[in-house]
PDB file of all heavy atoms in Angstrom:
ATOM      1  N   ALA A 197     -54.550  23.574  -5.347  1.00 92.00           N
ATOM      2  CA  ALA A 197     -54.419  24.454  -6.505  1.00 92.00           C
ATOM      3  C   ALA A 197     -53.632  25.694  -6.115  1.00 92.00           C
ATOM      4  O   ALA A 197     -53.409  25.960  -4.932  1.00 92.00           O
ATOM      5  CB  ALA A 197     -55.797  24.841  -7.036  1.00 92.00           C
ATOM      6  N   GLY A 198     -53.216  26.423  -7.116  1.00 85.00           N
ATOM      7  CA  GLY A 198     -52.442  27.626  -6.855  1.00 85.00           C
ATOM      8  C   GLY A 198     -51.651  28.011  -8.081  1.00 85.00           C
ATOM      9  O   GLY A 198     -51.696  27.336  -9.106  1.00 85.00           O
ATOM     10  N   SER A 199     -50.892  29.081  -7.954  1.00 81.00           N
ATOM     11  CA  SER A 199     -50.184  29.597  -9.114  1.00 81.00           C
ATOM     12  C   SER A 199     -48.912  28.828  -9.424  1.00 81.00           C
ATOM     13  O   SER A 199     -48.542  28.698 -10.596  1.00 81.00           O
ATOM     14  CB  SER A 199     -49.864  31.074  -8.916  1.00 81.00           C
ATOM     15  OG  SER A 199     -49.064  31.264  -7.758  1.00 81.00           O
ATOM     16  N   LYS A 200     -48.226  28.283  -8.394  1.00 79.00           N
ATOM     17  CA  LYS A 200     -46.928  27.668  -8.636  1.00 79.00           C
ATOM     18  C   LYS A 200     -46.790  26.302  -7.994  1.00 79.00           C
ATOM     19  O   LYS A 200     -47.151  26.113  -6.846  1.00 79.00           O
ATOM     20  CB  LYS A 200     -45.817  28.576  -8.118  1.00 79.00           C
ATOM     21  CG  LYS A 200     -45.672  29.894  -8.860  1.00 79.00           C
ATOM     22  CD  LYS A 200     -44.475  30.681  -8.324  1.00 79.00           C
ATOM     23  CE  LYS A 200     -44.281  31.963  -9.104  1.00 79.00           C
ATOM     24  NZ  LYS A 200     -43.100  32.717  -8.609  1.00 79.00           N
ATOM     25  N   VAL A 201     -46.227  25.364  -8.758  1.00 78.00           N
ATOM     26  CA  VAL A 201     -45.901  24.055  -8.220  1.00 78.00           C
ATOM     27  C   VAL A 201     -44.830  24.196  -7.142  1.00 78.00           C
ATOM     28  O   VAL A 201     -44.857  23.523  -6.110  1.00 78.00           O
ATOM     29  CB  VAL A 201     -45.390  23.100  -9.322  1.00 78.00           C
ATOM     30  CG1 VAL A 201     -44.959  21.779  -8.730  1.00 78.00           C
ATOM     31  CG2 VAL A 201     -46.479  22.876 -10.379  1.00 78.00           C
ATOM     32  N   SER A 202     -43.868  25.094  -7.363  1.00 84.00           N
ATOM     33  CA  SER A 202     -42.711  25.192  -6.464  1.00 84.00           C
ATOM     34  C   SER A 202     -43.112  25.509  -5.040  1.00 84.00           C
ATOM     35  O   SER A 202     -42.496  25.030  -4.091  1.00 84.00           O
ATOM     36  CB  SER A 202     -41.734  26.251  -6.974  1.00 84.00           C
ATOM     37  OG  SER A 202     -42.374  27.501  -7.133  1.00 84.00           O
ATOM     38  N   THR A 203     -44.166  26.324  -4.857  1.00 81.00           N
ATOM     39  CA  THR A 203     -44.572  26.682  -3.503  1.00 81.00           C
ATOM     40  C   THR A 203     -45.304  25.552  -2.794  1.00 81.00           C
ATOM     41  O   THR A 203     -45.424  25.558  -1.581  1.00 81.00           O
ATOM     42  CB  THR A 203     -45.494  27.914  -3.521  1.00 81.00           C
ATOM     43  OG1 THR A 203     -46.647  27.641  -4.328  1.00 81.00           O
ATOM     44  CG2 THR A 203     -44.759  29.123  -4.077  1.00 81.00           C
ATOM     45  N   LYS A 204     -45.792  24.571  -3.554  1.00 87.00           N
ATOM     46  CA  LYS A 204     -46.551  23.477  -2.947  1.00 87.00           C
ATOM     47  C   LYS A 204     -46.021  22.112  -3.367  1.00 87.00           C
ATOM     48  O   LYS A 204     -46.687  21.095  -3.187  1.00 87.00           O
ATOM     49  CB  LYS A 204     -48.036  23.599  -3.317  1.00 87.00           C
ATOM     50  CG  LYS A 204     -48.672  24.869  -2.763  1.00 87.00           C
ATOM     51  CD  LYS A 204     -50.145  24.981  -3.081  1.00 87.00           C
ATOM     52  CE  LYS A 204     -50.713  26.251  -2.476  1.00 87.00           C
ATOM     53  NZ  LYS A 204     -52.157  26.436  -2.794  1.00 87.00           N
ATOM     54  N   LEU A 205     -44.794  22.099  -3.900  1.00 82.00           N
ATOM     55  CA  LEU A 205     -44.231  20.852  -4.400  1.00 82.00           C
ATOM     56  C   LEU A 205     -44.101  19.801  -3.313  1.00 82.00           C
ATOM     57  O   LEU A 205     -44.518  18.645  -3.495  1.00 82.00           O
ATOM     58  CB  LEU A 205     -42.867  21.127  -5.045  1.00 82.00           C
ATOM     59  CG  LEU A 205     -42.140  19.891  -5.604  1.00 82.00           C
ATOM     60  CD1 LEU A 205     -42.980  19.248  -6.700  1.00 82.00           C
ATOM     61  CD2 LEU A 205     -40.786  20.292  -6.158  1.00 82.00           C
ATOM     62  N   THR A 206     -43.529  20.181  -2.162  1.00 85.00           N
ATOM     63  CA  THR A 206     -43.349  19.190  -1.100  1.00 85.00           C
ATOM     64  C   THR A 206     -44.691  18.726  -0.541  1.00 85.00           C
ATOM     65  O   THR A 206     -44.818  17.579  -0.105  1.00 85.00           O
ATOM     66  CB  THR A 206     -42.476  19.761   0.033  1.00 85.00           C
ATOM     67  OG1 THR A 206     -43.018  21.023   0.454  1.00 85.00           O
ATOM     68  CG2 THR A 206     -41.045  19.970  -0.433  1.00 85.00           C
ATOM     69  N   ILE A 207     -45.689  19.603  -0.565  1.00 89.00           N
ATOM     70  CA  ILE A 207     -47.029  19.206  -0.119  1.00 89.00           C
ATOM     71  C   ILE A 207     -47.600  18.164  -1.070  1.00 89.00           C
ATOM     72  O   ILE A 207     -48.135  17.134  -0.643  1.00 89.00           O
ATOM     73  CB  ILE A 207     -47.952  20.441  -0.067  1.00 89.00           C
ATOM     74  CG1 ILE A 207     -47.460  21.427   0.989  1.00 89.00           C
ATOM     75  CG2 ILE A 207     -49.388  20.024   0.220  1.00 89.00           C
ATOM     76  CD1 ILE A 207     -48.113  22.779   0.910  1.00 89.00           C
ATOM     77  N   LEU A 208     -47.459  18.421  -2.381  1.00 92.00           N
ATOM     78  CA  LEU A 208     -47.961  17.470  -3.374  1.00 92.00           C
ATOM     79  C   LEU A 208     -47.244  16.138  -3.269  1.00 92.00           C
ATOM     80  O   LEU A 208     -47.861  15.064  -3.368  1.00 92.00           O
ATOM     81  CB  LEU A 208     -47.788  18.044  -4.773  1.00 92.00           C
ATOM     82  CG  LEU A 208     -48.668  19.264  -5.120  1.00 92.00           C
ATOM     83  CD1 LEU A 208     -48.220  19.885  -6.426  1.00 92.00           C
ATOM     84  CD2 LEU A 208     -50.130  18.864  -5.193  1.00 92.00           C
ATOM     85  N   GLN A 209     -45.929  16.180  -3.045  1.00 90.00           N
ATOM     86  CA  GLN A 209     -45.175  14.929  -2.908  1.00 90.00           C
ATOM     87  C   GLN A 209     -45.646  14.129  -1.700  1.00 90.00           C
ATOM     88  O   GLN A 209     -45.799  12.909  -1.764  1.00 90.00           O
ATOM     89  CB  GLN A 209     -43.682  15.256  -2.779  1.00 90.00           C
ATOM     90  CG  GLN A 209     -43.058  15.787  -4.062  1.00 90.00           C
ATOM     91  CD  GLN A 209     -41.669  16.347  -3.849  1.00 90.00           C
ATOM     92  OE1 GLN A 209     -41.329  16.793  -2.755  1.00 90.00           O
ATOM     93  NE2 GLN A 209     -40.854  16.335  -4.912  1.00 90.00           N
ATOM     94  N   SER A 210     -45.871  14.826  -0.599  1.00 90.00           N
ATOM     95  CA  SER A 210     -46.335  14.156   0.613  1.00 90.00           C
ATOM     96  C   SER A 210     -47.730  13.572   0.427  1.00 90.00           C
ATOM     97  O   SER A 210     -47.996  12.427   0.775  1.00 90.00           O
ATOM     98  CB  SER A 210     -46.337  15.146   1.779  1.00 90.00           C
ATOM     99  OG  SER A 210     -46.882  14.561   2.944  1.00 90.00           O
ATOM    100  N   LEU A 211     -48.622  14.358  -0.172  1.00 92.00           N
ATOM    101  CA  LEU A 211     -49.999  13.894  -0.365  1.00 92.00           C
ATOM    102  C   LEU A 211     -50.069  12.727  -1.348  1.00 92.00           C
ATOM    103  O   LEU A 211     -50.894  11.821  -1.188  1.00 92.00           O
ATOM    104  CB  LEU A 211     -50.865  15.039  -0.868  1.00 92.00           C
ATOM    105  CG  LEU A 211     -51.153  16.157   0.144  1.00 92.00           C
ATOM    106  CD1 LEU A 211     -51.892  17.311  -0.529  1.00 92.00           C
ATOM    107  CD2 LEU A 211     -51.957  15.629   1.325  1.00 92.00           C
ATOM    108  N   ALA A 212     -49.202  12.730  -2.353  1.00 92.00           N
ATOM    109  CA  ALA A 212     -49.231  11.667  -3.363  1.00 92.00           C
ATOM    110  C   ALA A 212     -48.986  10.298  -2.749  1.00 92.00           C
ATOM    111  O   ALA A 212     -49.396   9.284  -3.308  1.00 92.00           O
ATOM    112  CB  ALA A 212     -48.207  11.948  -4.449  1.00 92.00           C
ATOM    113  N   SER A 213     -48.338  10.270  -1.599  1.00 89.00           N
ATOM    114  CA  SER A 213     -48.037   8.988  -0.956  1.00 89.00           C
ATOM    115  C   SER A 213     -49.131   8.530  -0.008  1.00 89.00           C
ATOM    116  O   SER A 213     -49.067   7.417   0.526  1.00 89.00           O
ATOM    117  CB  SER A 213     -46.708   9.084  -0.184  1.00 89.00           C
ATOM    118  OG  SER A 213     -46.828   9.992   0.896  1.00 89.00           O
ATOM    119  N   LYS A 214     -50.153   9.388   0.219  1.00 89.00           N
ATOM    120  CA  LYS A 214     -51.157   9.001   1.210  1.00 89.00           C
ATOM    121  C   LYS A 214     -52.600   9.148   0.754  1.00 89.00           C
ATOM    122  O   LYS A 214     -53.487   8.480   1.291  1.00 89.00           O
ATOM    123  CB  LYS A 214     -50.946   9.781   2.507  1.00 89.00           C
ATOM    124  CG  LYS A 214     -51.211  11.271   2.419  1.00 89.00           C
ATOM    125  CD  LYS A 214     -51.014  11.979   3.763  1.00 89.00           C
ATOM    126  CE  LYS A 214     -49.571  11.979   4.197  1.00 89.00           C
ATOM    127  NZ  LYS A 214     -49.331  12.832   5.390  1.00 89.00           N
ATOM    128  N   VAL A 215     -52.868  10.012  -0.250  1.00 93.00           N
ATOM    129  CA  VAL A 215     -54.267  10.213  -0.638  1.00 93.00           C
ATOM    130  C   VAL A 215     -54.681   9.210  -1.705  1.00 93.00           C
ATOM    131  O   VAL A 215     -53.851   8.615  -2.391  1.00 93.00           O
ATOM    132  CB  VAL A 215     -54.508  11.654  -1.149  1.00 93.00           C
ATOM    133  CG1 VAL A 215     -54.119  12.687  -0.097  1.00 93.00           C
ATOM    134  CG2 VAL A 215     -53.762  11.908  -2.453  1.00 93.00           C
ATOM    135  N   ASP A 216     -56.005   9.036  -1.838  1.00 94.00           N
ATOM    136  CA  ASP A 216     -56.541   8.136  -2.861  1.00 94.00           C
ATOM    137  C   ASP A 216     -56.760   8.873  -4.192  1.00 94.00           C
ATOM    138  O   ASP A 216     -56.713   8.267  -5.257  1.00 94.00           O
ATOM    139  CB  ASP A 216     -57.873   7.542  -2.376  1.00 94.00           C
ATOM    140  CG  ASP A 216     -57.697   6.796  -1.060  1.00 94.00           C
ATOM    141  OD1 ASP A 216     -56.878   5.858  -1.012  1.00 94.00           O
ATOM    142  OD2 ASP A 216     -58.370   7.172  -0.078  1.00 94.00           O
ATOM    143  N   GLN A 217     -57.005  10.164  -4.089  1.00 95.00           N
ATOM    144  CA  GLN A 217     -57.231  10.977  -5.280  1.00 95.00           C
ATOM    145  C   GLN A 217     -56.582  12.337  -5.072  1.00 95.00           C
ATOM    146  O   GLN A 217     -56.686  12.917  -3.985  1.00 95.00           O
ATOM    147  CB  GLN A 217     -58.738  11.148  -5.539  1.00 95.00           C
ATOM    148  CG  GLN A 217     -59.451   9.820  -5.810  1.00 95.00           C
ATOM    149  CD  GLN A 217     -60.960   9.935  -5.699  1.00 95.00           C
ATOM    150  OE1 GLN A 217     -61.478  10.825  -5.039  1.00 95.00           O
ATOM    151  NE2 GLN A 217     -61.663   9.033  -6.342  1.00 95.00           N
ATOM    152  N   LEU A 218     -55.917  12.842  -6.108  1.00 96.00           N
ATOM    153  CA  LEU A 218     -55.237  14.130  -6.015  1.00 96.00           C
ATOM    154  C   LEU A 218     -55.653  14.997  -7.191  1.00 96.00           C
ATOM    155  O   LEU A 218     -55.351  14.687  -8.347  1.00 96.00           O
ATOM    156  CB  LEU A 218     -53.719  13.925  -6.016  1.00 96.00           C
ATOM    157  CG  LEU A 218     -52.850  15.193  -5.958  1.00 96.00           C
ATOM    158  CD1 LEU A 218     -53.131  15.987  -4.675  1.00 96.00           C
ATOM    159  CD2 LEU A 218     -51.375  14.828  -6.039  1.00 96.00           C
ATOM    160  N   ILE A 219     -56.348  16.083  -6.908  1.00 96.00           N
ATOM    161  CA  ILE A 219     -56.758  17.034  -7.926  1.00 96.00           C
ATOM    162  C   ILE A 219     -55.857  18.256  -7.829  1.00 96.00           C
ATOM    163  O   ILE A 219     -55.662  18.808  -6.749  1.00 96.00           O
ATOM    164  CB  ILE A 219     -58.227  17.463  -7.730  1.00 96.00           C
ATOM    165  CG1 ILE A 219     -59.178  16.274  -7.953  1.00 96.00           C
ATOM    166  CG2 ILE A 219     -58.595  18.608  -8.669  1.00 96.00           C
ATOM    167  CD1 ILE A 219     -60.641  16.580  -7.634  1.00 96.00           C
ATOM    168  N   VAL A 220     -55.292  18.669  -8.958  1.00 96.00           N
ATOM    169  CA  VAL A 220     -54.475  19.889  -8.991  1.00 96.00           C
ATOM    170  C   VAL A 220     -55.158  20.910  -9.886  1.00 96.00           C
ATOM    171  O   VAL A 220     -55.880  20.563 -10.814  1.00 96.00           O
ATOM    172  CB  VAL A 220     -53.032  19.607  -9.486  1.00 96.00           C
ATOM    173  CG1 VAL A 220     -52.299  18.697  -8.522  1.00 96.00           C
ATOM    174  CG2 VAL A 220     -53.042  19.011 -10.889  1.00 96.00           C
ATOM    175  N   GLY A 221     -54.943  22.178  -9.593  1.00 94.00           N
ATOM    176  CA  GLY A 221     -55.604  23.217 -10.370  1.00 94.00           C
ATOM    177  C   GLY A 221     -54.767  24.465 -10.467  1.00 94.00           C
ATOM    178  O   GLY A 221     -53.692  24.581  -9.879  1.00 94.00           O
ATOM    179  N   GLY A 222     -55.255  25.443 -11.228  1.00 92.00           N
ATOM    180  CA  GLY A 222     -54.557  26.706 -11.388  1.00 92.00           C
ATOM    181  C   GLY A 222     -53.265  26.534 -12.172  1.00 92.00           C
ATOM    182  O   GLY A 222     -53.131  25.668 -13.043  1.00 92.00           O
ATOM    183  N   GLY A 223     -52.267  27.374 -11.845  1.00 91.00           N
ATOM    184  CA  GLY A 223     -50.973  27.279 -12.509  1.00 91.00           C
ATOM    185  C   GLY A 223     -50.300  25.944 -12.278  1.00 91.00           C
ATOM    186  O   GLY A 223     -49.537  25.457 -13.120  1.00 91.00           O
ATOM    187  N   ILE A 224     -50.592  25.307 -11.140  1.00 93.00           N
ATOM    188  CA  ILE A 224     -50.054  23.969 -10.871  1.00 93.00           C
ATOM    189  C   ILE A 224     -50.524  22.997 -11.944  1.00 93.00           C
ATOM    190  O   ILE A 224     -49.742  22.199 -12.474  1.00 93.00           O
ATOM    191  CB  ILE A 224     -50.496  23.489  -9.466  1.00 93.00           C
ATOM    192  CG1 ILE A 224     -49.836  24.358  -8.381  1.00 93.00           C
ATOM    193  CG2 ILE A 224     -50.138  22.023  -9.264  1.00 93.00           C
ATOM    194  CD1 ILE A 224     -50.306  24.048  -6.990  1.00 93.00           C
ATOM    195  N   ALA A 225     -51.812  23.046 -12.274  1.00 95.00           N
ATOM    196  CA  ALA A 225     -52.358  22.139 -13.291  1.00 95.00           C
ATOM    197  C   ALA A 225     -51.695  22.374 -14.650  1.00 95.00           C
ATOM    198  O   ALA A 225     -51.507  21.429 -15.424  1.00 95.00           O
ATOM    199  CB  ALA A 225     -53.866  22.315 -13.406  1.00 95.00           C
ATOM    200  N   ASN A 226     -51.328  23.625 -14.939  1.00 96.00           N
ATOM    201  CA  ASN A 226     -50.663  23.906 -16.216  1.00 96.00           C
ATOM    202  C   ASN A 226     -49.331  23.169 -16.313  1.00 96.00           C
ATOM    203  O   ASN A 226     -48.960  22.661 -17.378  1.00 96.00           O
ATOM    204  CB  ASN A 226     -50.446  25.412 -16.377  1.00 96.00           C
ATOM    205  CG  ASN A 226     -51.748  26.184 -16.456  1.00 96.00           C
ATOM    206  OD1 ASN A 226     -52.798  25.621 -16.759  1.00 96.00           O
ATOM    207  ND2 ASN A 226     -51.684  27.481 -16.172  1.00 96.00           N
ATOM    208  N   THR A 227     -48.585  23.130 -15.212  1.00 95.00           N
ATOM    209  CA  THR A 227     -47.320  22.400 -15.199  1.00 95.00           C
ATOM    210  C   THR A 227     -47.566  20.917 -15.400  1.00 95.00           C
ATOM    211  O   THR A 227     -46.806  20.234 -16.113  1.00 95.00           O
ATOM    212  CB  THR A 227     -46.558  22.668 -13.888  1.00 95.00           C
ATOM    213  OG1 THR A 227     -46.329  24.075 -13.750  1.00 95.00           O
ATOM    214  CG2 THR A 227     -45.224  21.935 -13.865  1.00 95.00           C
TER     215      THR A 227
END
Side-chain angles (χ1 to χ4, degrees):
S199 59
K200 293 184 177 181
V201 176
S202 56
T203 59
K204 296 182 179 178
L205 179 61
T206 52
I207 296 167
L208 292 170
Q209 290 169 334
S210 175
L211 290 174
S213 65
K214 68 178 68 171
V215 303
D216 302 302
Q217 298 165 337
L218 179 61
I219 294 174
V220 296
I224 293 174
N226 296 340
T227 302

